[in-house]
Amino acid sequence: IDNHDLPRFLSINDDPARFRLALLMTMVVRGVPCIYYGNEQHLHCDTNGGNDPFNRPMMTSFEETPLLLDLAKLAALRKRSPAVQRAGMRTKWVDADRWVFTRAYLGSCVAVAVNRTDEPYELEVSGLELADGRHPDVLGGPDLDVRAGIAKLAMGPRAIAIFEQTRPLPEGRAVVEIQMHGIRTAHGEEVQVCGDADELGGWDVSRAVTMEWIDHQTWATTIPFDTSAGHEIHYKFLIKRHGGNHRETGPGHHRHVPAKGRDTWRDQWRS
């Protein structure tokens, strides 16, 4: 949100509530967040419009501000949530001033709702990848009640709410995150991985592993290997098209599965 080359945002517009929304958003969207020193203290010096060198004044306090405590909550969320660490972003509802999106990966999910207006807002949202039941707001706001896949969301003015469902990643003798890049899918299509390893279906496409959508050209999943740990395997990526039967295969790949531990494989669709 801020850096050492430009005036701080609070020098441009001294609006702590909106600044909080922007800063907390960086903790839950894709990418690695960078918190510029003093942001958690609302540090800014408006001399000369906050231009260099007044965009990097000395710290005037080191208090546990509410913003610092919120950042700490979201840092802990990033550490424990596979969805925040790995998943893409799926918009569920949006207009000019409000945005609801989710990040979902192998059963883990975070749902994020932002309202940047000065008025409260209520809406119903479906398809949040959250199980039915009550989900607490990581930031301490009201719980989210999900029933029959529909969530009733009440947003305060200039508010952000983050709801968490965290599931452990698969475990095995060896665990591999498989990423496949360079493919464009149509709405409703899925990418699967199938191979000669039993964990990848043993070349039986009915047992192929469905991957998670990350962005417009990347899919990924996490596979635990037990019987195939320490062995060479062969595999392909498939597109499962509308209707569930027609599949298109990419090029073949082969890798050595580690005997134990974790690894990441990055493959290209047309390589």
Side-chain angles (χ1 to χ4, degrees), residues 40-41 46 100 118 122 124 172 180 197 214-215 220 226 236 250 259 269:
E40 76 287 351
Q41 304 291 333
D46 299 337
V100 180
D118 296 327
E122 295 184 359
E124 288 189 351
M180 200 277 293
I214 305 299
D215 63 24
D226 287 308
K236 280 192 172 189
W269 176 250

Side-chain angles (χ1 to χ4, degrees), residues 20 24 27 65-75 138-140:
R20 173 181 178 269
L24 296 187
M27 298 293 289
T65 63
L67 182 54
L68 183 150
L69 296 176
D70 283 342
L71 288 169
K73 292 175 183 176
L74 297 187
V138 176
L139 297 173

Side-chain angles (χ1 to χ4, degrees), residues 80-107:
R80 67 178 178 263
S81 172
V84 181
Q85 296 164 10
R86 292 169 168 79
M89 297 171 59
R90 306 172 181 178
T91 294
K92 302 297 181 175
W93 196 94
V94 66
D95 66 9
D97 295 302
R98 290 158 290 258
W99 186 22
V100 180
F101 68 87
T102 60
R103 303 186 64 191
Y105 189 87
L106 297 183

Side-chain angles (χ1 to χ4, degrees), residues 112-185:
V112 181
V114 180
N115 174 20
R116 70 176 185 175
T117 72
D118 296 327
E119 302 295 332
Y121 193 78
E122 295 184 359
L123 72 154
E124 288 189 351
V125 186
S126 60
L128 293 185
E129 294 102 9
L130 293 171
D132 283 2
R134 299 188 70 83
H135 299 270
D137 181 359
V138 176
L139 297 173
D143 292 352
L144 180 67
D145 188 21
V146 181
R147 297 184 181 181
I150 298 176
K152 294 184 177 180
L153 186 62
M155 294 292 299
R158 298 191 183 189
I160 178 171
I162 301 167
F163 306 100
E164 173 191 9
Q165 174 178 288
T166 294
R167 304 285 187 265
L169 288 173
E171 293 290 341
R173 289 175 55 193
V175 178
V176 177
E177 181 180 353
I178 302 178
Q179 302 175 6
M180 200 277 293
H181 303 272
I183 185 173
R184 292 183 180 271
T185 51

Side-chain angles (χ1 to χ4, degrees), residues 200-246:
L200 299 181
W203 290 129
D204 179 356
V205 294
S206 68
R207 297 170 52 217
V209 177
T210 299
M211 305 181 75
E212 299 279 352
W213 177 88
I214 305 299
D215 63 24
H216 67 282
Q217 62 175 1
T218 301
W219 291 67
T221 192
T222 301
I223 304 291
F225 288 96
D226 287 308
T227 58
S228 302
H231 296 280
E232 189 91 2
I233 67 168
H234 296 76
Y235 58 96
K236 280 192 172 189
F237 298 103
L238 321 171
I239 297 177
K240 185 177 180 180
R241 295 189 179 278
H242 301 281
N245 293 320
H246 181 71

